[in-house]
Coordinates of all heavy atoms in Angstrom, one line a residue:
M251 N 42.0 20.4 -9.7 CA 43.1 19.6 -9.0 C 44.4 20.0 -9.6 O 44.6 20.2 -10.8 CB 42.7 18.1 -9.2 CG 43.5 17.1 -8.4 SD 42.9 15.5 -8.6 CE 43.3 14.9 -7.0
I252 N 45.4 20.0 -8.7 CA 46.7 20.4 -9.1 C 47.5 19.4 -10.1 O 48.2 19.9 -11.0 CB 47.6 20.6 -7.9 CG1 48.9 21.3 -8.3 CG2 48.0 19.3 -7.2 CD1 49.6 22.0 -7.2
L253 N 47.0 18.2 -10.1 CA 47.6 17.2 -11.0 C 47.3 17.6 -12.4 O 48.1 17.5 -13.4 CB 47.2 15.8 -10.6 CG 47.7 15.2 -9.3 CD1 47.2 13.9 -9.1 CD2 49.2 15.3 -9.2
Y254 N 46.0 18.0 -12.7 CA 45.7 18.3 -14.0 C 46.3 19.6 -14.5 O 46.7 19.7 -15.6 CB 44.1 18.5 -14.2 CG 43.4 17.2 -13.9 CD1 42.6 17.0 -12.8 CD2 43.6 16.1 -14.7 CE1 42.0 15.8 -12.5 CE2 42.9 14.9 -14.5 CZ 42.1 14.8 -13.4 OH 41.5 13.6 -13.1
A255 N 46.5 20.5 -13.6 CA 47.3 21.7 -13.9 C 48.7 21.4 -14.3 O 49.3 22.0 -15.2 CB 47.3 22.8 -12.8
L256 N 49.4 20.5 -13.5 CA 50.7 20.1 -13.9 C 50.8 19.4 -15.2 O 51.8 19.6 -15.9 CB 51.3 19.2 -12.7 CG 51.7 20.0 -11.5 CD1 52.0 19.0 -10.3 CD2 52.8 20.9 -11.7
L257 N 49.8 18.6 -15.4 CA 49.8 17.8 -16.7 C 49.7 18.9 -17.9 O 50.4 18.7 -18.9 CB 48.7 16.8 -16.8 CG 48.9 15.6 -15.9 CD1 47.7 14.7 -15.9 CD2 50.1 14.8 -16.4
A258 N 48.8 19.9 -17.7 CA 48.7 20.9 -18.7 C 50.0 21.7 -18.8 O 50.4 22.1 -20.0 CB 47.5 21.8 -18.4
C259 N 50.6 22.0 -17.7 CA 51.9 22.7 -17.8 C 52.9 21.9 -18.6 O 53.6 22.6 -19.4 CB 52.3 22.9 -16.3 SG 54.0 23.7 -16.2
H260 N 53.0 20.7 -18.3 CA 54.0 19.9 -19.0 C 53.7 19.8 -20.5 O 54.6 19.8 -21.3 CB 54.1 18.4 -18.4 CG 54.8 18.4 -17.0 ND1 56.0 18.9 -16.8 CD2 54.4 17.8 -15.9 CE1 56.4 18.7 -15.5 NE2 55.3 18.1 -15.0
A261 N 52.4 19.6 -20.8 CA 52.0 19.6 -22.2 C 52.4 20.8 -22.9 O 52.8 20.8 -24.1 CB 50.6 19.3 -22.3
A262 N 52.1 22.0 -22.3 CA 52.5 23.3 -22.8 C 54.0 23.5 -23.0 O 54.4 24.0 -24.1 CB 51.9 24.4 -22.0
V263 N 54.7 23.0 -22.1 CA 56.2 23.1 -22.2 C 56.7 22.3 -23.4 O 57.5 22.7 -24.2 CB 56.9 22.6 -20.9 CG1 58.4 22.3 -21.1 CG2 56.7 23.7 -19.8
I264 N 56.2 21.0 -23.5 CA 56.6 20.2 -24.7 C 56.2 20.8 -26.0 O 56.9 20.8 -27.0 CB 56.1 18.7 -24.4 CG1 56.9 18.2 -23.2 CG2 56.3 17.9 -25.7 CD1 56.2 16.9 -22.8
Y265 N 54.9 21.3 -25.9 CA 54.4 21.9 -27.2 C 55.3 23.2 -27.7 O 55.6 23.2 -28.7 CB 53.0 22.4 -27.0 CG 52.5 23.3 -28.1 CD1 52.0 22.8 -29.3 CD2 52.4 24.7 -28.0 CE1 51.6 23.5 -30.3 CE2 51.9 25.4 -29.0 CZ 51.5 24.9 -30.3 OH 51.1 25.6 -31.3
F266 N 55.6 24.0 -26.7 CA 56.4 25.2 -27.0 C 57.9 24.8 -27.3 O 58.5 25.4 -28.1 CB 56.4 26.3 -25.9 CG 55.1 27.0 -25.8 CD1 54.3 27.0 -24.8 CD2 54.7 27.8 -27.0 CE1 53.1 27.7 -24.7 CE2 53.6 28.5 -27.0 CZ 52.7 28.5 -25.8
W267 N 58.4 23.7 -26.6 CA 59.7 23.3 -27.0 C 59.7 22.8 -28.4 O 60.8 23.1 -29.1 CB 60.0 22.1 -26.1 CG 61.5 21.7 -26.2 CD1 62.5 22.4 -25.5 CD2 62.1 20.7 -26.9 NE1 63.7 21.8 -25.8 CE2 63.5 20.7 -26.7 CE3 61.5 19.7 -27.7 CZ2 64.4 19.8 -27.2 CZ3 62.4 18.8 -28.2 CH2 63.8 18.8 -28.0
I268 N 58.7 22.2 -28.9 CA 58.7 21.8 -30.4 C 58.4 22.9 -31.3 O 59.1 23.0 -32.4 CB 57.7 20.6 -30.6 CG1 58.1 19.4 -29.8 CG2 57.5 20.3 -32.0 CD1 57.1 18.3 -29.7
S269 N 57.4 23.8 -30.9 CA 57.0 24.8 -32.0 C 57.6 26.2 -31.9 O 57.9 26.8 -32.9 CB 55.4 24.9 -31.9 OG 55.1 25.5 -30.6
D270 N 57.8 26.6 -30.7 CA 58.3 28.0 -30.5 C 59.3 28.1 -29.3 O 59.0 28.4 -28.2 CB 57.2 28.9 -30.3 CG 57.6 30.3 -30.4 OD1 58.7 30.7 -30.8 OD2 56.7 31.3 -30.0
W271 N 60.6 27.8 -29.7 CA 61.6 27.7 -28.7 C 61.9 28.9 -27.9 O 62.1 28.8 -26.7 CB 62.9 27.3 -29.5 CG 64.2 27.2 -28.7 CD1 65.1 28.2 -28.6 CD2 64.6 26.2 -27.9 NE1 66.1 27.9 -27.8 CE2 65.8 26.6 -27.3 CE3 64.1 24.9 -27.6 CZ2 66.6 25.7 -26.5 CZ3 64.9 24.1 -26.7 CH2 66.0 24.5 -26.2
D272 N 61.7 30.1 -28.5 CA 61.9 31.3 -27.8 C 61.1 31.6 -26.6 O 61.5 32.3 -25.7 CB 61.8 32.5 -28.8 CG 62.9 32.4 -29.9 OD1 64.0 31.9 -29.7 OD2 62.6 32.8 -31.1
V273 N 59.8 31.1 -26.7 CA 58.9 31.3 -25.5 C 59.5 30.7 -24.3 O 59.3 31.2 -23.2 CB 57.6 30.7 -25.9 CG1 56.6 30.8 -24.6 CG2 56.9 31.5 -27.0
L274 N 60.1 29.5 -24.3 CA 60.6 28.8 -23.2 C 61.9 29.4 -22.7 O 62.3 29.3 -21.5 CB 60.9 27.4 -23.5 CG 59.6 26.5 -23.6 CD1 60.0 25.1 -24.0 CD2 58.9 26.5 -22.3
M275 N 62.6 30.2 -23.5 CA 63.9 30.8 -23.1 C 63.8 32.1 -22.4 O 64.8 32.8 -22.2 CB 64.9 30.9 -24.3 CG 65.3 29.5 -24.8 SD 66.2 28.6 -23.5 CE 65.1 27.2 -23.2
T276 N 62.6 32.5 -22.1 CA 62.3 33.7 -21.4 C 62.3 33.4 -19.9 O 62.2 32.1 -19.5 CB 60.9 34.4 -21.6 OG1 59.9 33.4 -21.3 CG2 60.9 34.7 -23.2
P277 N 62.6 34.3 -18.9 CA 62.5 34.0 -17.5 C 61.3 33.3 -17.1 O 61.3 32.4 -16.3 CB 62.7 35.4 -16.8 CG 63.4 36.2 -17.8 CD 62.9 35.7 -19.2
V278 N 60.1 33.8 -17.6 CA 58.8 33.2 -17.2 C 58.7 31.7 -17.7 O 58.3 30.8 -17.0 CB 57.6 34.0 -17.7 CG1 56.3 33.3 -17.5 CG2 57.7 35.3 -17.1
G279 N 59.2 31.5 -19.0 CA 59.1 30.2 -19.5 C 60.0 29.2 -18.7 O 59.6 28.1 -18.4
L280 N 61.2 29.6 -18.3 CA 62.1 28.8 -17.5 C 61.6 28.5 -16.1 O 61.7 27.4 -15.6 CB 63.5 29.5 -17.4 CG 64.3 29.5 -18.7 CD1 65.6 30.3 -18.6 CD2 64.6 28.1 -19.2
V281 N 60.9 29.5 -15.5 CA 60.3 29.3 -14.2 C 59.2 28.3 -14.3 O 59.1 27.4 -13.4 CB 59.8 30.6 -13.6 CG1 58.8 30.4 -12.4 CG2 60.9 31.6 -13.2
V282 N 58.4 28.5 -15.3 CA 57.3 27.4 -15.6 C 57.8 26.0 -15.7 O 57.4 25.0 -15.2 CB 56.4 27.8 -16.7 CG1 55.4 26.8 -17.1 CG2 55.6 29.1 -16.3
W283 N 58.8 25.9 -16.6 CA 59.5 24.7 -16.9 C 60.1 24.0 -15.6 O 59.8 22.9 -15.3 CB 60.6 24.9 -17.9 CG 61.0 23.7 -18.7 CD1 60.7 22.4 -18.4 CD2 61.8 23.7 -19.9 NE1 61.3 21.5 -19.4 CE2 62.0 22.4 -20.3 CE3 62.5 24.7 -20.6 CZ2 62.8 22.0 -21.4 CZ3 63.2 24.3 -21.7 CH2 63.3 23.0 -22.0
V284 N 61.0 24.7 -15.0 CA 61.7 24.2 -13.8 C 60.7 24.0 -12.7 O 60.7 22.9 -12.0 CB 62.9 25.1 -13.4 CG1 63.5 24.7 -12.1 CG2 63.9 25.1 -14.5
G285 N 59.8 25.0 -12.5 CA 58.8 24.8 -11.4 C 57.8 23.7 -11.6 O 57.6 22.9 -10.6
G286 N 57.4 23.5 -12.8 CA 56.6 22.4 -13.1 C 57.2 21.0 -12.8 O 56.6 20.1 -12.2
V287 N 58.5 20.9 -13.2 CA 59.2 19.6 -12.9 C 59.4 19.5 -11.4 O 59.2 18.4 -10.9 CB 60.6 19.6 -13.6 CG1 61.4 18.5 -13.2 CG2 60.3 19.6 -15.1
A288 N 59.8 20.5 -10.7 CA 60.0 20.4 -9.2 C 58.7 20.1 -8.5 O 58.8 19.2 -7.6 CB 60.6 21.8 -8.7
V289 N 57.6 20.8 -8.8 CA 56.4 20.4 -8.1 C 55.9 19.0 -8.5 O 55.4 18.3 -7.5 CB 55.3 21.5 -8.5 CG1 54.0 21.1 -7.9 CG2 55.7 22.9 -8.0
S290 N 56.1 18.6 -9.7 CA 55.7 17.2 -10.1 C 56.5 16.2 -9.3 O 56.0 15.2 -8.8 CB 55.9 17.0 -11.5 OG 55.0 17.8 -12.3
L291 N 57.8 16.4 -9.2 CA 58.7 15.5 -8.5 C 58.3 15.5 -7.0 O 58.4 14.4 -6.4 CB 60.2 15.8 -8.7 CG 60.7 15.5 -10.1 CD1 62.1 16.0 -10.2 CD2 60.6 14.1 -10.5
T292 N 58.0 16.6 -6.5 CA 57.7 16.7 -5.1 C 56.3 15.9 -4.8 O 56.2 15.2 -3.8 CB 57.4 18.2 -4.7 OG1 58.7 18.8 -4.8 CG2 57.1 18.3 -3.1
I293 N 55.4 16.1 -5.7 CA 54.0 15.4 -5.6 C 54.2 14.0 -5.7 O 53.7 13.1 -4.9 CB 53.0 16.0 -6.5 CG1 52.6 17.4 -6.0 CG2 51.8 15.1 -6.7 CD1 51.6 18.0 -7.0
L294 N 55.1 13.5 -6.7 CA 55.2 12.1 -6.8 C 55.9 11.4 -5.7 O 55.7 10.3 -5.4 CB 56.0 11.9 -8.1 CG 55.3 12.1 -9.5 CD1 56.2 12.1 -10.6 CD2 54.2 11.1 -9.6
H295 N 56.8 12.2 -5.1 CA 57.6 11.6 -3.8 C 56.7 11.6 -2.6 O 56.7 10.6 -1.9 CB 58.8 12.5 -3.6 CG 59.7 11.9 -2.5 ND1 60.2 10.7 -2.6 CD2 60.1 12.5 -1.4 CE1 60.9 10.5 -1.5 NE2 60.9 11.6 -0.8
F296 N 56.0 12.7 -2.3 CA 55.3 12.8 -1.1 C 53.8 12.4 -1.1 O 53.2 12.4 0.0 CB 55.4 14.2 -0.5 CG 56.8 14.6 -0.1 CD1 57.5 15.5 -0.8 CD2 57.4 14.0 1.0 CE1 58.8 15.8 -0.5 CE2 58.7 14.3 1.4 CZ 59.4 15.3 0.7
R297 N 53.3 12.1 -2.2 CA 51.9 11.7 -2.3 C 51.7 10.3 -3.0 O 51.5 10.1 -4.1 CB 51.0 12.7 -3.1 CG 51.0 14.0 -2.7 CD 49.9 14.3 -1.7 NE 48.6 13.7 -2.0 CZ 47.5 14.4 -2.5 NH1 47.6 15.5 -2.9 NH2 46.4 13.7 -2.6
P298 N 51.9 9.2 -2.1 CA 51.9 7.9 -2.7 C 50.5 7.4 -3.0 O 50.3 6.4 -3.7 CB 52.5 7.0 -1.6 CG 52.3 7.8 -0.4 CD 52.3 9.2 -0.8
N299 N 49.5 8.1 -2.6 CA 48.1 7.6 -2.8 C 47.4 8.2 -4.0 O 46.2 8.3 -4.0 CB 47.3 7.8 -1.6 CG 47.3 9.3 -1.2 OD1 48.0 10.1 -1.7 ND2 46.4 9.6 -0.2
I300 N 48.1 8.6 -5.0 CA 47.6 9.1 -6.2 C 47.1 8.0 -7.0 O 47.7 6.9 -7.1 CB 48.6 10.0 -7.0 CG1 49.2 11.2 -6.2 CG2 48.0 10.4 -8.4 CD1 50.3 11.9 -6.9
H301 N 46.0 8.2 -7.8 CA 45.4 7.2 -8.7 C 46.5 6.8 -9.6 O 47.2 7.5 -10.1 CB 44.2 7.7 -9.4 CG 43.5 6.7 -10.2 ND1 43.8 6.3 -11.4 CD2 42.4 6.0 -9.8 CE1 43.0 5.4 -11.8 NE2 42.1 5.1 -10.8
P302 N 46.7 5.3 -9.7 CA 47.7 4.9 -10.6 C 47.8 5.4 -12.0 O 48.9 5.7 -12.6 CB 47.5 3.4 -10.7 CG 46.7 3.1 -9.4 CD 45.8 4.3 -9.2
K303 N 46.6 5.7 -12.6 CA 46.7 6.2 -13.9 C 47.2 7.7 -14.0 O 48.0 8.1 -14.8 CB 45.2 6.2 -14.5 CG 45.1 6.4 -16.0 CD 43.7 6.2 -16.5 CE 43.7 6.2 -18.0 NZ 42.4 5.9 -18.5
L304 N 46.8 8.5 -13.0 CA 47.2 9.9 -12.9 C 48.7 9.9 -12.6 O 49.5 10.7 -13.1 CB 46.5 10.6 -11.8 CG 45.1 11.2 -12.3 CD1 44.5 11.8 -11.1 CD2 45.3 12.1 -13.4
R305 N 49.1 9.0 -11.7 CA 50.7 8.8 -11.4 C 51.4 8.5 -12.6 O 52.5 9.1 -12.8 CB 50.8 7.8 -10.3 CG 52.3 7.6 -9.9 CD 52.5 6.6 -8.8 NE 52.2 7.2 -7.4 CZ 53.0 8.0 -6.9 NH1 54.2 8.4 -7.4 NH2 52.7 8.6 -5.7
S306 N 50.9 7.6 -13.4 CA 51.7 7.2 -14.6 C 51.7 8.3 -15.6 O 52.8 8.6 -16.2 CB 51.0 6.0 -15.2 OG 51.5 5.6 -16.5
M307 N 50.6 9.1 -15.7 CA 50.7 10.2 -16.7 C 51.6 11.3 -16.2 O 52.3 11.9 -17.0 CB 49.2 10.8 -16.9 CG 48.3 9.8 -17.7 SD 46.7 10.5 -18.1 CE 46.2 11.6 -16.9
L308 N 51.5 11.6 -14.9 CA 52.4 12.7 -14.4 C 53.8 12.2 -14.4 O 54.7 13.0 -14.7 CB 52.0 13.0 -12.9 CG 52.7 14.1 -12.3 CD1 52.4 15.4 -13.0 CD2 52.3 14.3 -10.9
T309 N 54.2 10.9 -14.3 CA 55.5 10.5 -14.3 C 56.0 10.5 -15.8 O 57.2 11.0 -16.0 CB 55.6 8.9 -13.9 OG1 55.2 8.9 -12.5 CG2 57.0 8.5 -13.9
T310 N 55.2 10.2 -16.7 CA 55.6 10.2 -18.1 C 55.8 11.6 -18.6 O 56.8 12.0 -19.3 CB 54.5 9.6 -19.0 OG1 54.3 8.2 -18.5 CG2 54.9 9.5 -20.5
M311 N 54.9 12.6 -18.2 CA 55.0 13.9 -18.7 C 56.2 14.6 -18.0 O 56.9 15.5 -18.6 CB 53.7 14.7 -18.4 CG 52.6 14.3 -19.2 SD 52.9 14.4 -21.0 CE 52.6 16.2 -21.2
T312 N 56.5 14.3 -16.8 CA 57.7 14.9 -16.0 C 58.9 14.4 -16.7 O 60.0 15.1 -16.9 CB 57.6 14.5 -14.5 OG1 56.4 15.0 -14.0 CG2 58.8 15.1 -13.8
A313 N 59.0 13.0 -17.0 CA 60.2 12.6 -17.7 C 60.4 13.2 -19.1 O 61.5 13.5 -19.5 CB 59.9 11.0 -17.8
A314 N 59.3 13.4 -19.7 CA 59.4 14.0 -21.0 C 59.9 15.5 -21.0 O 60.7 16.0 -21.7 CB 58.0 14.1 -21.8
S315 N 59.4 16.2 -20.0 CA 59.9 17.6 -19.7 C 61.4 17.6 -19.3 O 62.2 18.4 -19.7 CB 59.2 18.2 -18.6 OG 57.8 18.6 -19.0
V316 N 61.8 16.6 -18.5 CA 63.3 16.5 -18.1 C 64.1 16.1 -19.3 O 65.2 16.7 -19.5 CB 63.4 15.4 -17.0 CG1 64.9 15.2 -16.7 CG2 62.8 16.0 -15.7
L317 N 63.6 15.2 -20.2 CA 64.3 14.9 -21.4 C 64.4 16.1 -22.3 O 65.5 16.2 -22.9 CB 63.5 13.7 -22.1 CG 64.2 13.2 -23.4 CD1 65.6 12.6 -23.1 CD2 63.2 12.3 -24.1
A318 N 63.4 16.8 -22.5 CA 63.5 18.1 -23.3 C 64.5 19.1 -22.7 O 65.3 19.7 -23.5 CB 62.1 18.7 -23.4
A319 N 64.6 19.1 -21.4 CA 65.6 20.0 -20.8 C 67.0 19.5 -21.1 O 67.9 20.3 -21.4 CB 65.4 20.0 -19.3
V320 N 67.2 18.2 -20.9 CA 68.5 17.6 -21.3 C 68.9 17.8 -22.7 O 70.0 18.2 -23.0 CB 68.6 16.0 -20.9 CG1 69.8 15.4 -21.4 CG2 68.5 16.0 -19.3
C321 N 67.9 17.6 -23.6 CA 68.2 17.9 -25.0 C 68.4 19.3 -25.3 O 69.3 19.6 -26.2 CB 67.0 17.4 -25.9 SG 66.8 15.6 -26.0
S322 N 67.8 20.2 -24.6 CA 68.1 21.7 -24.7 C 69.5 22.0 -24.3 O 70.1 22.8 -25.0 CB 67.0 22.5 -23.9 OG 65.8 22.3 -24.3
L323 N 70.0 21.4 -23.2 CA 71.3 21.7 -22.8 C 72.4 21.2 -23.8 O 73.3 21.8 -24.0 CB 71.6 21.0 -21.4 CG 70.8 21.7 -20.3 CD1 71.0 20.9 -18.9 CD2 71.2 23.1 -20.1
I324 N 72.1 20.0 -24.3 CA 73.0 19.4 -25.4 C 73.0 20.3 -26.6 O 74.1 20.6 -27.2 CB 72.6 18.0 -25.7 CG1 72.8 17.1 -24.4 CG2 73.3 17.4 -26.9 CD1 72.3 15.7 -24.6
I325 N 71.8 20.8 -27.0 CA 71.8 21.7 -28.2 C 72.5 22.9 -28.0 O 73.2 23.4 -28.7 CB 70.3 21.9 -28.6 CG1 69.7 20.7 -29.2 CG2 70.1 23.0 -29.6 CD1 68.2 20.7 -29.3
E326 N 72.3 23.6 -26.7 CA 73.0 24.8 -26.4 C 74.5 24.6 -26.4 O 75.3 25.4 -26.9 CB 72.5 25.3 -25.1 CG 71.3 26.0 -25.1 CD 71.3 27.3 -25.9 OE1 72.3 28.0 -25.7 OE2 70.4 27.6 -26.6
W327 N 74.9 23.5 -25.8 CA 76.4 23.2 -25.8 C 76.9 23.0 -27.2 O 78.0 23.5 -27.5 CB 76.6 21.9 -24.9 CG 78.0 21.5 -25.0 CD1 79.0 22.0 -24.3 CD2 78.6 20.5 -25.8 NE1 80.3 21.4 -24.6 CE2 79.9 20.4 -25.5 CE3 78.0 19.5 -26.6 CZ2 80.8 19.4 -26.1 CZ3 78.8 18.5 -27.2 CH2 80.1 18.5 -26.9
A328 N 76.2 22.2 -28.1 CA 76.7 22.1 -29.4 C 76.8 23.3 -30.2 O 77.7 23.6 -31.0 CB 75.8 21.0 -30.1
V329 N 75.7 24.2 -30.1 CA 75.7 25.4 -30.8 C 76.8 26.4 -30.3 O 77.5 27.0 -31.1 CB 74.3 26.1 -30.6 CG1 74.3 27.5 -31.2 CG2 73.3 25.3 -31.4
R330 N 77.0 26.5 -29.0 CA 78.1 27.3 -28.4 C 79.5 26.9 -28.8 O 80.4 27.7 -28.8 CB 77.9 27.5 -27.0 CG 76.7 28.3 -26.6 CD 76.7 28.4 -25.1 NE 75.3 29.0 -24.7 CZ 75.2 30.1 -24.1 NH1 76.3 30.9 -23.8 NH2 74.1 30.7 -23.8
S331 N 79.6 25.6 -29.1 CA 81.0 25.1 -29.4 C 81.4 25.3 -30.9 O 82.4 24.9 -31.3 CB 81.1 23.6 -29.0 OG 80.3 22.8 -29.7
M332 N 80.4 25.6 -31.6 CA 80.6 25.9 -33.1 C 81.4 27.2 -33.3 O 81.2 28.1 -32.6 CB 79.3 25.9 -33.9 CG 78.5 24.7 -34.0 SD 77.0 24.9 -34.8 CE 76.4 23.3 -34.8
P333 N 82.3 27.2 -34.3 CA 83.0 28.4 -34.5 C 82.3 29.5 -35.1 O 81.3 29.4 -35.7 CB 84.2 28.0 -35.4 CG 83.8 26.7 -36.0 CD 82.8 26.1 -35.1

C-alpha cells in the first residue's frame, strides 16, 4: 500500500536529516523529500476514507518532514549570512 511507502519515505528523510545531512542535499534526496510531501498532501486531501490511525500517522510524518524543511531553510539562511 502506498501509505506505508510514504511513511517509510518520511521516516527515511527524518533519519537522514538527523544523521547524514549530505544525502538529502543531492538531487535525488530533494526529489524524494519534496515528492513525498507532495504525494502525502495530495492523498490526505483527496482520500478522506483513510483509516483514522493511518491518516494521523501520515499527517504527523508529513508535518515532521515539512518542519525539517523549514528548519533546513533557516539553517541555510543563517549559515549564508555569516561572514
Side-chain angles (χ1 to χ4, degrees):
M251 188 173 214
I252 192 163
L253 294 177
Y254 296 113
L256 283 171
L257 289 171
C259 173
H260 288 308
V263 164
I264 293 169
Y265 170 77
F266 284 121
W267 190 80
I268 292 170
S269 67
D270 191 9
W271 174 262
D272 294 332
V273 173
L274 286 177
M275 292 299 111
T276 63
V278 173
L280 291 174
V281 166
V282 168
W283 198 351
V284 173
V287 169
V289 171
S290 294
L291 291 175
T292 303
I293 287 175
L294 287 170
H295 182 61
F296 290 112
R297 299 273 319 259
N299 57 350
I300 299 172
H301 189 275
K303 192 172 190 176
L304 282 174
R305 177 176 282 285
S306 173
M307 288 187 333
L308 187 61
T309 303
T310 302
M311 293 300 282
T312 304
S315 288
V316 170
L317 180 64
V320 170
C321 289
S322 298
L323 291 173
I324 291 171
I325 291 168
E326 280 293 319
W327 174 76
V329 168
R330 289 179 189 247
S331 68
M332 291 179 181

